[in-house]
Amino acid sequence: MKKTIITVVGQDTVGIIAKVCTYLAENKINILDISQTIIDGYFNMMMITDTSKSEKKLDRISTELTELGEQIGVAIHAQHEDIFNKMHRI
């Protein structure tokens, strides 16, 4: 299993979750866990996903998610679980 952490942050608007999840489904990326909150109009979502069945490599997935985020007005970042953990350890 190849775990990837995906974060989505920006102004709340209709369809953010739908558009991100549609991209993931179309690319055979399974959502293992998801958390989302909206605070004072700001949308924040973190997903743990399994990219092992996707035909695309993580760098391409990350680029395409960044582009999707630009289209819908949010910042989307995708990182391999190991990199995410090393960046966020105390």
Side-chain angles (χ1 to χ4, degrees):
M1 181 178 317
K2 292 193 241 178
K3 288 186 180 177
T4 300
I5 310 301
I6 298 172
T7 58
V8 183
V9 179
Q11 290 279 341
D12 187 34
T13 187
V14 174
I16 296 171
I17 296 172
K19 290 173 185 166
V20 173
C21 290
T22 297
Y23 172 86
L24 298 178
E26 288 172 351
N27 288 282
K28 300 177 186 162
I29 299 169
N30 188 36
I31 299 169
L32 303 173
D33 199 358
I34 183 171
S35 172
Q36 71 93 38
T37 58
I38 300 168
I39 300 173
D40 197 27
Y42 291 96
F43 179 88
N44 185 23
M45 180 169 63
M46 181 175 164
M47 307 167 107
I48 301 172
T49 64
D50 177 7
T51 57
S52 61
K53 293 185 180 173
S54 179
E55 296 173 4
K56 297 179 182 177
K57 294 190 179 206
L58 181 55
D59 61 340
R60 184 168 173 202
I61 293 167
S62 180
T63 299
E64 290 178 357
L65 283 170
T66 297
E67 291 170 355
L68 174 61
E70 290 170 0
Q71 292 170 12
I72 62 176
V74 296
I76 303 177
H77 299 285
Q79 295 178 311
H80 188 277
E81 177 186 35
D82 293 339
I83 294 171
F84 182 87
N85 287 335
K86 288 181 181 175
M87 288 179 59
H88 293 92
R89 74 172 192 226
I90 297 176

